[in-house]
Amino acid sequence: MNTQIVSVDKDKPEKEIIKQAAKIIKAGGLVAFPTETVYGLGGNALDAEVAKKIYAAKGRPQDNPLIVHIYSLIQLEELVKEIPAKAHALMEKFWPGPLTIIFYKKDIVPYSTTGGLDTVAIRMPAHPVALELIKESGVPIAAPSANISGKPSPTCARDVAEDLSGKIDMILDGGPAKVGVESTVLDISEEIPIILRPGGVTKEELEKVLGKVEVDPGLAPGEKPRSPGQKYRHYAPKAQVTVFEGTVENQVKAICALAAELESCGLKVGIMATAQTRHFYTKGYVISVGDRTAPLTISSNLFSILRKFDRLGVDKILAESIPKTGIGLAVMNRLYKAAGYNIVEA
């Protein structure tokens, strides 16, 4: 398959380009497109065979639910059995935006899209290209991240092409993603809502609307995932990742010591530092992921830097941690999973 890569204006997407991409969606094809979180791999959410194509392109287990993207509340009503009051409050505050809400699905949504579940994960993205594509396609679009399953999610068209060129019909290049980590997935079926995957809308923001919100501790071995990103090792580069926790000073000392030890054994070491700490490191390939005082800079760079370490061919990645507040919770969730929970207390 020859994958077209087409540049599109991220603020005012050209109509002819969107029509071309929508034609592919309508015909049962796959289009990767930008959202404010990461790039999505889109297909007709109502076509069971298309869902299978998405799973095949990604190499993704078919019990891992796909998020359905919509452009209007009218579409939502067509897909779900009911819209709880909590959902209305959330949609008013956070849609369009990086929040995915779990609903009970109508029969129109095939089980292949929901990973065999009676629920469906739905969001309305806050990106002009995504919204125009969904609207022009005339169908809701199922869109997991546009990468090989388990690898770092793509935040630019180059990342998508690296993983999926030759496997999908088109990539719409709308520049880098702003948020850099996937949407928050929220289950509101219980009395206390549960975050199944932390993301672009923070726990603190949700609690201002809903009151108390809990965070799912993760999947027990063998349990069926209720949300994308709940698999044990995920978002992982080729190199083994180790995450360091403790005071910033102790993290730096521990990373410096281990980097020197690993280099003495002939290994190539990547160090994921921050703007405040990068000058402390004298060993390895040192890259700043962002500013500790501005966590959004860290979330927006996280996946691209993991991929950059892959391109550098490092054997080990040593990563600093940041506080698990605000979007830092999503950053650390991704880092823990990328490391397979290989964590060092410094």
Side-chain angles (χ1 to χ4, degrees):
M1 181 185 294
N2 182 30
T3 301
Q4 293 178 270
I5 303 176
V6 183
S7 294
V8 60
D9 190 312
K10 65 182 178 63
D11 298 312
K12 294 181 180 179
E14 297 85 347
K15 288 184 179 179
E16 286 307 310
I17 295 174
I18 296 299
K19 284 183 178 180
Q20 185 183 1
K23 185 177 180 181
I24 293 171
I25 297 289
K26 292 175 185 177
L30 302 182
V31 175
F33 61 94
T35 79
E36 77 280 20
T37 57
V38 299
Y39 273 65
L41 174 57
N44 183 353
L46 305 183
D47 187 327
E49 294 305 311
V50 167
K52 293 176 184 177
K53 288 182 183 180
I54 292 173
Y55 288 121
K58 284 178 62 68
R60 178 183 178 125
Q62 294 194 22
D63 68 344
N64 208 356
L66 304 176
I67 290 177
V68 175
H69 293 62
I70 61 173
Y71 81 92
S72 74
L73 296 184
I74 293 175
Q75 275 191 310
L76 178 66
E77 293 169 358
E78 295 170 350
L79 301 175
V80 304
K81 289 183 176 179
E82 62 175 335
I83 305 173
K86 288 178 183 177
H88 281 289
L90 291 165
M91 292 184 297
E92 184 176 342
K93 177 68 175 177
F94 299 113
W95 278 14
L99 176 66
T100 295
I101 304 173
I102 305 293
F103 298 91
Y104 283 98
K105 76 178 190 71
K106 286 183 178 177
D107 291 341
I108 192 174
V109 183
Y111 281 111
S112 56
T113 295
T114 65
L117 300 175
D118 291 320
T119 54
V120 58
I122 299 179
R123 90 175 183 101
M124 186 185 295
H127 196 293
V129 173
L131 291 172
E132 287 300 315
L133 177 61
I134 302 164
K135 184 177 181 179
E136 184 66 31
S137 297
V139 292
I141 292 181
S145 55
N147 60 302
I148 297 298
S149 185
K151 288 186 65 176
S153 297
T155 53
C156 65
R158 176 189 178 184
D159 296 344
V160 180
E162 188 174 77
D163 282 8
L164 299 179
S165 184
K167 298 180 180 180
I168 64 176
D169 299 284
M170 177 182 281
I171 300 170
L172 293 177
D173 182 356
K178 180 180 178 182
V179 178
V181 293
E182 298 84 353
S183 62
T184 301
V185 179
L186 187 68
D187 182 354
I188 56 174
S189 63
E190 304 292 334
E191 183 177 346
I192 300 176
I194 300 174
I195 295 173
L196 300 181
R197 180 183 71 185
V201 174
T202 68
K203 180 175 184 285
E204 294 84 351
E205 289 172 326
L206 292 171
E207 287 182 329
K208 288 179 181 179
V209 176
L210 299 175
K212 185 177 181 181
V213 173
E214 294 182 343
V215 179
D216 188 275
L219 280 176
E223 188 179 339
K224 197 169 189 177
R226 294 184 289 163
S227 163
Q230 282 194 317
K231 292 292 185 181
Y232 192 70
R233 190 166 186 266
H234 212 64
Y235 317 110
K238 296 173 185 175
Q240 182 185 13
V241 179
T242 301
V243 178
F244 289 76
E245 295 199 323
T247 66
V248 174
E249 182 181 1
N250 285 348
Q251 288 183 52
V252 170
K253 287 180 180 178
I255 290 172
C256 284
L258 183 55
E261 180 184 336
L262 292 171
E263 283 204 342
S264 71
C265 296
L267 297 176
K268 293 177 69 174
V269 180
I271 296 175
M272 185 179 289
T274 54
Q276 288 79 3
T277 60
R278 64 177 302 165
H279 62 282
F280 291 119
Y281 299 109
T282 58
K283 302 288 185 181
Y285 296 85
V286 183
I287 303 177
S288 171
V289 71
D291 186 337
R292 284 179 172 274
T293 66
L296 187 60
T297 64
I298 295 176
S299 70
S300 63
N301 290 326
L302 177 65
F303 289 138
S304 64
I305 287 175
L306 289 175
R307 285 178 174 267
K308 187 170 184 177
F309 281 129
D310 271 351
R311 294 181 187 119
L312 288 170
V314 302
D315 302 299
K316 304 282 186 181
I317 299 171
L318 311 181
E320 295 177 7
S321 62
I322 63 171
K324 294 186 282 288
T325 56
I327 202 164
L329 178 64
V331 169
M332 294 312 301
N333 168 268
R334 304 310 192 270
L335 262 182
Y336 288 156
K337 289 183 180 293
Y341 289 88
N342 180 27
I343 303 166
V344 171
E345 187 65 40

